[in-house]
Amino acid sequence: MLTTLLAAVIVLGPVIVIHELGHFLVAKLSGIYVKTFSVGFGPKLLRLTIGETQYALSAIPLGGYVRMAGESGAERTASAPDAPGAHLVDVAPAEKASGEAALYPRDEVSDDDIPPHRWFRNKPIPTRLAVVTAGPIANLVLALVVMTSVLWHEGMAIAPTTVIAGVTDTSEEFKAGLRNDDKVIAVAGAPVTNSLEVETALAAREAGPLELRIERAGRDTTLVLAGVRREKAAIVFPRWSYRFDSRIGHVKQEGPAARAGILPGDRIVEIDGQPIRYYDEISDHINPNIGKAVSVTWERNGERRTASLTPEAEEVQASKNSNDIKKIGRIQIELFTLTAPVSLGRAFSESVQRTWAFSSDTLHFLGQLVTGHGSRDAVGGPIRIGQVAGSALRWGYSTLFTFMAFFSVNLFLLNLLPIPVLDGGHVVFLLVEAVRGEALSLRVQDLLLKVGVSALIAIMGYVVVLDFWRVLHG
């Protein structure tokens, strides 16, 4: 429990604070009067006023907000006297706003006591767009910084093997004579022992036939391929994946393998008396035995050890193109990889690719939900986020920070959805104002914001109930 709470704070705290800090800093730099900077929604548990801004820690840890003067029509306000179409507006007071008082308690100075030139809505549209989008952009920047830092610190994971996998009967590699489980011994005469050495040797080839020396069924043989083919500097032929041996990399704290005494670097050699040579063979014996004891034998420094382990159920995505969830068995181990140091530039380049992959996966998931093809099992609230963060921390801090980057990308995209009360809804308001030449009336904005707040409360309630349902029903 303490691990889960610690992990949740480590992930949620920076992601939320950085998001709100983005809005806050750009607003301040734009001369806008910032009333409140809150981490969390609802009743304020702690508050501290510094200068003109009240800083608060609120009860509902699902986000936060920055309230600026002249941000909406939720109280009696006036446009700047010298602004085009200046007029007094009388709208519903804050305490009558449907659901809004519950999420955004108002106890700050009234807009009437703040100079109109410092109101949010009296700033030029580009300035307001910058303030509104600064939060999501800050989350995107945080994801890039975190992923770059992890990759620079940890290095790039590479396969410690040259055993070929992923060659299909219709592939060019198959037609060229390559087969799954072939072991590449040399590329163009250069000996290779891991995937990085293979990639480096292939990358060094410019043109002409390519000689591969491979081991197949215990015999060495030589294949001559037509040559390396590239598209946009990336090698597209020959390409293959790798089949990992049964060595263990990371072991999750408190998992079945850790409790049995398995350590990183050990090699699993038998499960229930059946020999294990490759890592993918482990799942063949673990998946069908969720909750049932299996006998696992592993080797360490030439010494064999055996213990009884009970695989745990874990929910994973059913397939790459589906958001459906399925349960698999896990003894909470990961395959063994080597790490290669990378430059800061390479780490940043790789982080951009991974952030793009996070974004694509999230957008695909949202599309599935909108079209009714998404699974509610993939939706989670604060409890689910805490559980995932806690699980990530048990794998190690690099896994936890990778999850933080993923979560920050999610927040970047979700906040840009065109829903009133979210940043994307405010962007829509501003674009409509730019096209029309004037803003929507404050009454219309206030009505849409009430709808947005009510919808947000409903969604929060749904995910929290869903979280409790999962906890109670396992």
Side-chain angles (χ1 to χ4, degrees):
M1 177 61 74
L2 289 177
T3 300
T4 298
L5 290 174
L6 173 62
V9 170
I10 292 175
V11 170
L12 288 172
V15 171
I16 293 172
V17 169
I18 289 295
H19 178 93
E20 301 308 333
L21 195 61
H23 293 307
F24 176 81
L25 291 177
V26 175
K28 283 286 192 181
L29 290 172
S30 303
I32 297 171
Y33 189 109
V34 179
K35 297 180 178 183
T36 301
F37 180 105
S38 176
V39 177
F41 298 109
K44 296 174 181 176
L45 305 177
L46 299 172
R47 68 185 78 191
L48 174 66
T49 300
I50 301 177
E52 62 190 24
T53 303
Q54 180 186 98
Y55 301 86
L57 179 64
S58 300
I60 306 175
L62 293 179
Y65 62 93
V66 170
R67 180 179 290 117
M68 297 165 280
E71 190 174 2
S72 71
E75 57 184 315
R76 183 180 177 88
T77 56
S79 300
D82 56 349
H87 58 284
L88 291 178
V89 182
D90 191 356
V91 296
E95 59 271 16
K96 294 182 182 179
S98 173
E100 190 172 6
L103 286 183
Y104 309 100
R106 292 179 178 272
D107 56 1
E108 316 96 343
V109 62
S110 168
D111 282 359
D112 293 335
D113 298 323
I114 299 170
H117 72 276
R118 299 197 62 193
W119 292 358
F120 170 80
R121 70 168 173 271
N122 289 332
K123 295 294 182 179
I125 290 178
T127 300
R128 284 180 279 162
L129 278 172
V131 173
V132 169
T133 57
I137 290 174
N139 282 130
L140 182 61
V141 171
L142 175 64
L144 289 170
V145 169
V146 169
M147 277 310 310
T148 299
S149 301
V150 168
L151 292 168
W152 193 32
H153 179 264
E154 298 289 331
M156 296 284 292
I158 60 175
T161 179
T162 60
V163 177
I164 292 175
V167 175
T168 63
D169 294 349
T170 58
S171 67
E172 288 187 68
E173 288 76 14
F174 186 88
K175 295 173 183 177
L178 291 170
R179 298 293 184 267
N180 290 325
D181 293 341
D182 285 349
K183 182 178 181 180
V184 182
I185 299 172
V187 177
V192 292
T193 60
N194 59 58
S195 63
L196 180 61
E197 292 175 352
V198 172
E199 292 172 11
T200 301
L202 290 175
R205 298 291 297 175
E206 294 297 333
L210 173 67
E211 183 180 282
L212 290 181
R213 188 156 63 92
I214 62 173
E215 178 185 304
R216 179 182 298 168
R219 296 183 178 182
D220 287 5
T221 186
T222 299
L223 296 177
V224 179
L225 278 60
V228 175
R229 189 171 75 251
R230 294 176 173 83
E231 290 181 7
K232 297 180 180 179
I235 295 175
V236 295
F237 176 85
R239 287 186 65 185
W240 56 73
S241 53
Y242 294 92
R243 196 174 190 193
F244 289 72
D245 61 34
S246 59
R247 277 180 292 175
I248 305 304
H250 294 296
V251 178
K252 184 179 180 181
Q253 297 175 27
E254 304 173 19
R259 291 193 295 268
I262 296 177
L263 299 176
D266 292 348
R267 184 193 303 268
I268 292 181
V269 294
E270 285 185 5
I271 297 180
D272 282 341
Q274 299 298 311
I276 301 295
R277 183 181 176 191
Y278 294 108
Y279 188 86
D280 58 85
E281 294 173 338
I282 297 174
S283 62
D284 295 338
H285 298 275
I286 298 302
N287 279 341
N289 290 297
I290 297 174
K292 303 175 184 177
V294 295
S295 176
V296 178
T297 300
W298 66 95
E299 189 175 89
R300 180 186 305 160
N301 299 325
E303 179 185 347
R304 290 197 170 193
R305 308 181 184 199
T306 300
S308 179
L309 283 70
T310 302
E312 299 174 344
E314 185 166 300
E315 294 181 344
V316 298
Q317 193 172 344
S319 66
K320 185 176 181 180
N321 297 317
S322 169
N323 288 315
D324 292 335
I325 300 298
K326 68 176 182 179
K327 287 187 177 182
I328 63 170
R330 291 292 303 271
I331 58 174
Q332 304 304 347
I333 58 175
E334 289 185 347
L335 50 77
F336 177 82
T337 61
L338 298 174
T339 55
V342 295
S343 66
L344 184 59
R346 176 67 185 276
F348 176 74
S349 175
E350 182 68 21
S351 75
V352 170
Q353 295 181 42
R354 296 194 185 189
T355 301
W356 175 257
F358 291 159
S359 302
S360 299
D361 290 344
T362 302
L363 289 173
H364 176 73
F365 169 68
L366 291 174
Q368 292 284 330
L369 283 182
V370 170
T371 57
H373 295 95
S375 169
R376 74 173 188 175
D377 291 331
V379 179
I383 296 176
R384 182 69 172 269
I385 293 169
Q387 289 174 333
V388 174
S391 178
L393 180 55
R394 291 181 179 91
W395 284 111
Y397 279 98
S398 62
T399 304
L400 178 67
F401 286 121
T402 299
F403 174 66
M404 177 193 288
F406 172 76
F407 182 68
S408 195
V409 169
N410 273 253
L411 199 60
F412 158 70
L413 293 171
L414 291 174
N415 269 281
L416 289 178
L417 293 176
I419 299 173
V421 89
L422 295 181
D423 296 326
H426 291 292
V427 169
V428 172
F429 286 166
L430 291 171
L431 293 179
V432 168
E433 180 179 346
V435 172
R436 296 177 73 230
E438 62 178 345
L440 294 171
S441 71
L442 293 180
R443 287 188 180 278
V444 171
Q445 290 188 48
D446 188 50
L447 176 61
L448 292 174
L449 287 173
K450 288 177 183 178
V451 172
V453 169
S454 299
L456 186 59
I457 292 175
I459 293 172
M460 286 179 178
Y462 173 75
V463 297
V464 169
V465 169
L466 197 59
D467 279 354
F468 277 112
W469 177 267
R470 291 194 187 101
V471 170
L472 294 175
H473 293 81

PDB file of all heavy atoms in Angstrom, residues 162-187:
ATOM      1  N   THR A 162      21.723 -13.226 -31.391  1.00  0.00           N
ATOM      2  CA  THR A 162      21.561 -12.990 -32.828  1.00  0.00           C
ATOM      3  C   THR A 162      20.660 -14.057 -33.449  1.00  0.00           C
ATOM      4  O   THR A 162      20.673 -14.268 -34.656  1.00  0.00           O
ATOM      5  CB  THR A 162      22.926 -12.995 -33.534  1.00  0.00           C
ATOM      6  OG1 THR A 162      23.563 -14.270 -33.330  1.00  0.00           O
ATOM      7  CG2 THR A 162      23.821 -11.887 -33.006  1.00  0.00           C
ATOM      8  N   VAL A 163      19.869 -14.743 -32.620  1.00  0.00           N
ATOM      9  CA  VAL A 163      18.945 -15.769 -33.108  1.00  0.00           C
ATOM     10  C   VAL A 163      17.751 -15.088 -33.776  1.00  0.00           C
ATOM     11  O   VAL A 163      17.063 -14.269 -33.160  1.00  0.00           O
ATOM     12  CB  VAL A 163      18.480 -16.695 -31.970  1.00  0.00           C
ATOM     13  CG1 VAL A 163      17.454 -17.700 -32.491  1.00  0.00           C
ATOM     14  CG2 VAL A 163      19.665 -17.421 -31.358  1.00  0.00           C
ATOM     15  N   ILE A 164      17.485 -15.418 -35.015  1.00  0.00           N
ATOM     16  CA  ILE A 164      16.472 -14.743 -35.816  1.00  0.00           C
ATOM     17  C   ILE A 164      15.068 -15.220 -35.449  1.00  0.00           C
ATOM     18  O   ILE A 164      14.833 -16.403 -35.198  1.00  0.00           O
ATOM     19  CB  ILE A 164      16.732 -14.995 -37.314  1.00  0.00           C
ATOM     20  CG1 ILE A 164      18.026 -14.287 -37.748  1.00  0.00           C
ATOM     21  CG2 ILE A 164      15.565 -14.538 -38.171  1.00  0.00           C
ATOM     22  CD1 ILE A 164      18.415 -14.594 -39.183  1.00  0.00           C
ATOM     23  N   ALA A 165      14.125 -14.268 -35.432  1.00  0.00           N
ATOM     24  CA  ALA A 165      12.706 -14.571 -35.234  1.00  0.00           C
ATOM     25  C   ALA A 165      11.888 -13.635 -36.111  1.00  0.00           C
ATOM     26  O   ALA A 165      12.399 -12.645 -36.642  1.00  0.00           O
ATOM     27  CB  ALA A 165      12.323 -14.398 -33.771  1.00  0.00           C
ATOM     28  N   GLY A 166      10.610 -13.955 -36.282  1.00  0.00           N
ATOM     29  CA  GLY A 166       9.704 -13.060 -37.007  1.00  0.00           C
ATOM     30  C   GLY A 166       9.782 -13.156 -38.516  1.00  0.00           C
ATOM     31  O   GLY A 166       9.257 -12.287 -39.219  1.00  0.00           O
ATOM     32  N   VAL A 167      10.419 -14.191 -39.051  1.00  0.00           N
ATOM     33  CA  VAL A 167      10.492 -14.365 -40.502  1.00  0.00           C
ATOM     34  C   VAL A 167       9.285 -15.183 -40.956  1.00  0.00           C
ATOM     35  O   VAL A 167       9.117 -16.344 -40.559  1.00  0.00           O
ATOM     36  CB  VAL A 167      11.801 -15.081 -40.914  1.00  0.00           C
ATOM     37  CG1 VAL A 167      11.799 -15.369 -42.420  1.00  0.00           C
ATOM     38  CG2 VAL A 167      13.004 -14.238 -40.534  1.00  0.00           C
ATOM     39  N   THR A 168       8.423 -14.573 -41.771  1.00  0.00           N
ATOM     40  CA  THR A 168       7.220 -15.263 -42.260  1.00  0.00           C
ATOM     41  C   THR A 168       7.484 -15.930 -43.603  1.00  0.00           C
ATOM     42  O   THR A 168       8.443 -15.585 -44.309  1.00  0.00           O
ATOM     43  CB  THR A 168       6.049 -14.287 -42.411  1.00  0.00           C
ATOM     44  OG1 THR A 168       6.386 -13.306 -43.407  1.00  0.00           O
ATOM     45  CG2 THR A 168       5.776 -13.565 -41.093  1.00  0.00           C
ATOM     46  N   ASP A 169       6.610 -16.857 -43.962  1.00  0.00           N
ATOM     47  CA  ASP A 169       6.803 -17.620 -45.204  1.00  0.00           C
ATOM     48  C   ASP A 169       6.733 -16.742 -46.448  1.00  0.00           C
ATOM     49  O   ASP A 169       7.217 -17.139 -47.515  1.00  0.00           O
ATOM     50  CB  ASP A 169       5.747 -18.730 -45.304  1.00  0.00           C
ATOM     51  CG  ASP A 169       5.914 -19.773 -44.219  1.00  0.00           C
ATOM     52  OD1 ASP A 169       6.952 -19.745 -43.536  1.00  0.00           O
ATOM     53  OD2 ASP A 169       5.005 -20.618 -44.053  1.00  0.00           O
ATOM     54  N   THR A 170       6.093 -15.577 -46.331  1.00  0.00           N
ATOM     55  CA  THR A 170       5.923 -14.708 -47.508  1.00  0.00           C
ATOM     56  C   THR A 170       6.921 -13.550 -47.531  1.00  0.00           C
ATOM     57  O   THR A 170       6.881 -12.729 -48.442  1.00  0.00           O
ATOM     58  CB  THR A 170       4.496 -14.129 -47.522  1.00  0.00           C
ATOM     59  OG1 THR A 170       4.270 -13.410 -46.292  1.00  0.00           O
ATOM     60  CG2 THR A 170       3.459 -15.249 -47.638  1.00  0.00           C
ATOM     61  N   SER A 171       7.808 -13.483 -46.559  1.00  0.00           N
ATOM     62  CA  SER A 171       8.730 -12.342 -46.467  1.00  0.00           C
ATOM     63  C   SER A 171       9.890 -12.482 -47.445  1.00  0.00           C
ATOM     64  O   SER A 171      10.235 -13.581 -47.907  1.00  0.00           O
ATOM     65  CB  SER A 171       9.272 -12.219 -45.046  1.00  0.00           C
ATOM     66  OG  SER A 171      10.107 -13.330 -44.734  1.00  0.00           O
ATOM     67  N   GLU A 172      10.514 -11.352 -47.761  1.00  0.00           N
ATOM     68  CA  GLU A 172      11.695 -11.357 -48.618  1.00  0.00           C
ATOM     69  C   GLU A 172      12.844 -12.114 -47.955  1.00  0.00           C
ATOM     70  O   GLU A 172      13.636 -12.778 -48.639  1.00  0.00           O
ATOM     71  CB  GLU A 172      12.144  -9.914 -48.904  1.00  0.00           C
ATOM     72  CG  GLU A 172      11.235  -9.144 -49.837  1.00  0.00           C
ATOM     73  CD  GLU A 172      11.843  -7.796 -50.208  1.00  0.00           C
ATOM     74  OE1 GLU A 172      12.869  -7.792 -50.919  1.00  0.00           O
ATOM     75  OE2 GLU A 172      11.312  -6.760 -49.768  1.00  0.00           O
ATOM     76  N   GLU A 173      12.924 -12.005 -46.628  1.00  0.00           N
ATOM     77  CA  GLU A 173      13.987 -12.696 -45.900  1.00  0.00           C
ATOM     78  C   GLU A 173      13.855 -14.217 -46.068  1.00  0.00           C
ATOM     79  O   GLU A 173      14.861 -14.917 -46.247  1.00  0.00           O
ATOM     80  CB  GLU A 173      13.942 -12.305 -44.419  1.00  0.00           C
ATOM     81  CG  GLU A 173      14.395 -10.888 -44.120  1.00  0.00           C
ATOM     82  CD  GLU A 173      13.358  -9.834 -44.483  1.00  0.00           C
ATOM     83  OE1 GLU A 173      12.176 -10.198 -44.724  1.00  0.00           O
ATOM     84  OE2 GLU A 173      13.722  -8.643 -44.519  1.00  0.00           O
ATOM     85  N   PHE A 174      12.612 -14.712 -46.010  1.00  0.00           N
ATOM     86  CA  PHE A 174      12.379 -16.157 -46.182  1.00  0.00           C
ATOM     87  C   PHE A 174      12.780 -16.590 -47.589  1.00  0.00           C
ATOM     88  O   PHE A 174      13.431 -17.632 -47.778  1.00  0.00           O
ATOM     89  CB  PHE A 174      10.902 -16.478 -45.916  1.00  0.00           C
ATOM     90  CG  PHE A 174      10.577 -17.945 -45.926  1.00  0.00           C
ATOM     91  CD1 PHE A 174      10.681 -18.704 -44.772  1.00  0.00           C
ATOM     92  CD2 PHE A 174      10.184 -18.578 -47.106  1.00  0.00           C
ATOM     93  CE1 PHE A 174      10.388 -20.071 -44.775  1.00  0.00           C
ATOM     94  CE2 PHE A 174       9.892 -19.934 -47.123  1.00  0.00           C
ATOM     95  CZ  PHE A 174       9.996 -20.681 -45.954  1.00  0.00           C
ATOM     96  N   LYS A 175      12.386 -15.782 -48.581  1.00  0.00           N
ATOM     97  CA  LYS A 175      12.722 -16.104 -49.964  1.00  0.00           C
ATOM     98  C   LYS A 175      14.227 -16.068 -50.201  1.00  0.00           C
ATOM     99  O   LYS A 175      14.745 -16.767 -51.085  1.00  0.00           O
ATOM    100  CB  LYS A 175      12.013 -15.131 -50.906  1.00  0.00           C
ATOM    101  CG  LYS A 175      10.496 -15.260 -50.886  1.00  0.00           C
ATOM    102  CD  LYS A 175       9.827 -14.169 -51.708  1.00  0.00           C
ATOM    103  CE  LYS A 175       8.305 -14.272 -51.615  1.00  0.00           C
ATOM    104  NZ  LYS A 175       7.631 -13.159 -52.363  1.00  0.00           N
ATOM    105  N   ALA A 176      14.928 -15.258 -49.383  1.00  0.00           N
ATOM    106  CA  ALA A 176      16.383 -15.166 -49.516  1.00  0.00           C
ATOM    107  C   ALA A 176      17.090 -16.314 -48.815  1.00  0.00           C
ATOM    108  O   ALA A 176      18.324 -16.439 -48.920  1.00  0.00           O
ATOM    109  CB  ALA A 176      16.874 -13.833 -48.946  1.00  0.00           C
ATOM    110  N   GLY A 177      16.324 -17.144 -48.100  1.00  0.00           N
ATOM    111  CA  GLY A 177      16.909 -18.319 -47.478  1.00  0.00           C
ATOM    112  C   GLY A 177      17.007 -18.286 -45.971  1.00  0.00           C
ATOM    113  O   GLY A 177      17.460 -19.256 -45.346  1.00  0.00           O
ATOM    114  N   LEU A 178      16.600 -17.191 -45.326  1.00  0.00           N
ATOM    115  CA  LEU A 178      16.662 -17.089 -43.869  1.00  0.00           C
ATOM    116  C   LEU A 178      15.478 -17.817 -43.232  1.00  0.00           C
ATOM    117  O   LEU A 178      14.372 -17.826 -43.785  1.00  0.00           O
ATOM    118  CB  LEU A 178      16.675 -15.626 -43.432  1.00  0.00           C
ATOM    119  CG  LEU A 178      17.943 -14.837 -43.768  1.00  0.00           C
ATOM    120  CD1 LEU A 178      17.735 -13.348 -43.493  1.00  0.00           C
ATOM    121  CD2 LEU A 178      19.126 -15.354 -42.963  1.00  0.00           C
ATOM    122  N   ARG A 179      15.719 -18.388 -42.046  1.00  0.00           N
ATOM    123  CA  ARG A 179      14.684 -19.102 -41.336  1.00  0.00           C
ATOM    124  C   ARG A 179      14.698 -18.709 -39.861  1.00  0.00           C
ATOM    125  O   ARG A 179      15.746 -18.320 -39.324  1.00  0.00           O
ATOM    126  CB  ARG A 179      14.891 -20.624 -41.441  1.00  0.00           C
ATOM    127  CG  ARG A 179      14.835 -21.164 -42.865  1.00  0.00           C
ATOM    128  CD  ARG A 179      13.441 -21.027 -43.460  1.00  0.00           C
ATOM    129  NE  ARG A 179      13.350 -21.613 -44.792  1.00  0.00           N
ATOM    130  CZ  ARG A 179      13.538 -20.946 -45.926  1.00  0.00           C
ATOM    131  NH1 ARG A 179      13.851 -19.647 -45.884  1.00  0.00           N
ATOM    132  NH2 ARG A 179      13.429 -21.546 -47.096  1.00  0.00           N
ATOM    133  N   ASN A 180      13.532 -18.809 -39.220  1.00  0.00           N
ATOM    134  CA  ASN A 180      13.482 -18.573 -37.775  1.00  0.00           C
ATOM    135  C   ASN A 180      14.407 -19.546 -37.060  1.00  0.00           C
ATOM    136  O   ASN A 180      14.549 -20.702 -37.469  1.00  0.00           O
ATOM    137  CB  ASN A 180      12.050 -18.733 -37.257  1.00  0.00           C
ATOM    138  CG  ASN A 180      11.147 -17.606 -37.716  1.00  0.00           C
ATOM    139  OD1 ASN A 180      11.572 -16.464 -37.829  1.00  0.00           O
ATOM    140  ND2 ASN A 180       9.887 -17.934 -37.993  1.00  0.00           N
ATOM    141  N   ASP A 181      15.018 -19.056 -35.998  1.00  0.00           N
ATOM    142  CA  ASP A 181      15.974 -19.805 -35.169  1.00  0.00           C
ATOM    143  C   ASP A 181      17.355 -19.926 -35.804  1.00  0.00           C
ATOM    144  O   ASP A 181      18.250 -20.551 -35.219  1.00  0.00           O
ATOM    145  CB  ASP A 181      15.464 -21.189 -34.776  1.00  0.00           C
ATOM    146  CG  ASP A 181      14.257 -21.124 -33.835  1.00  0.00           C
ATOM    147  OD1 ASP A 181      14.058 -20.043 -33.224  1.00  0.00           O
ATOM    148  OD2 ASP A 181      13.524 -22.125 -33.716  1.00  0.00           O
ATOM    149  N   ASP A 182      17.559 -19.358 -37.004  1.00  0.00           N
ATOM    150  CA  ASP A 182      18.924 -19.225 -37.511  1.00  0.00           C
ATOM    151  C   ASP A 182      19.693 -18.290 -36.584  1.00  0.00           C
ATOM    152  O   ASP A 182      19.142 -17.280 -36.118  1.00  0.00           O
ATOM    153  CB  ASP A 182      18.938 -18.620 -38.921  1.00  0.00           C
ATOM    154  CG  ASP A 182      18.499 -19.609 -39.998  1.00  0.00           C
ATOM    155  OD1 ASP A 182      18.388 -20.806 -39.676  1.00  0.00           O
ATOM    156  OD2 ASP A 182      18.275 -19.176 -41.145  1.00  0.00           O
ATOM    157  N   LYS A 183      20.945 -18.620 -36.342  1.00  0.00           N
ATOM    158  CA  LYS A 183      21.791 -17.756 -35.508  1.00  0.00           C
ATOM    159  C   LYS A 183      22.830 -17.088 -36.391  1.00  0.00           C
ATOM    160  O   LYS A 183      23.640 -17.763 -37.023  1.00  0.00           O
ATOM    161  CB  LYS A 183      22.472 -18.568 -34.413  1.00  0.00           C
ATOM    162  CG  LYS A 183      23.335 -17.730 -33.476  1.00  0.00           C
ATOM    163  CD  LYS A 183      23.940 -18.581 -32.376  1.00  0.00           C
ATOM    164  CE  LYS A 183      24.778 -17.722 -31.421  1.00  0.00           C
ATOM    165  NZ  LYS A 183      25.374 -18.543 -30.333  1.00  0.00           N
ATOM    166  N   VAL A 184      22.795 -15.755 -36.448  1.00  0.00           N
ATOM    167  CA  VAL A 184      23.743 -15.012 -37.278  1.00  0.00           C
ATOM    168  C   VAL A 184      25.096 -14.988 -36.569  1.00  0.00           C
ATOM    169  O   VAL A 184      25.206 -14.538 -35.430  1.00  0.00           O
ATOM    170  CB  VAL A 184      23.247 -13.576 -37.536  1.00  0.00           C
ATOM    171  CG1 VAL A 184      24.233 -12.840 -38.443  1.00  0.00           C
ATOM    172  CG2 VAL A 184      21.862 -13.597 -38.172  1.00  0.00           C
ATOM    173  N   ILE A 185      26.119 -15.474 -37.261  1.00  0.00           N
ATOM    174  CA  ILE A 185      27.465 -15.525 -36.686  1.00  0.00           C
ATOM    175  C   ILE A 185      28.328 -14.377 -37.194  1.00  0.00           C
ATOM    176  O   ILE A 185      29.137 -13.813 -36.455  1.00  0.00           O
ATOM    177  CB  ILE A 185      28.135 -16.881 -37.015  1.00  0.00           C
ATOM    178  CG1 ILE A 185      27.320 -18.027 -36.422  1.00  0.00           C
ATOM    179  CG2 ILE A 185      29.570 -16.922 -36.481  1.00  0.00           C
ATOM    180  CD1 ILE A 185      27.812 -19.389 -36.860  1.00  0.00           C
ATOM    181  N   ALA A 186      28.144 -14.009 -38.476  1.00  0.00           N
ATOM    182  CA  ALA A 186      28.951 -12.929 -39.051  1.00  0.00           C
ATOM    183  C   ALA A 186      28.162 -12.226 -40.142  1.00  0.00           C
ATOM    184  O   ALA A 186      27.365 -12.852 -40.859  1.00  0.00           O
ATOM    185  CB  ALA A 186      30.259 -13.475 -39.611  1.00  0.00           C
ATOM    186  N   VAL A 187      28.366 -10.932 -40.280  1.00  0.00           N
ATOM    187  CA  VAL A 187      27.746 -10.111 -41.319  1.00  0.00           C
ATOM    188  C   VAL A 187      28.868  -9.497 -42.143  1.00  0.00           C
ATOM    189  O   VAL A 187      29.699  -8.745 -41.621  1.00  0.00           O
ATOM    190  CB  VAL A 187      26.862  -9.003 -40.723  1.00  0.00           C
ATOM    191  CG1 VAL A 187      26.282  -8.123 -41.834  1.00  0.00           C
ATOM    192  CG2 VAL A 187      25.746  -9.594 -39.883  1.00  0.00           C
TER     193      VAL A 187
END
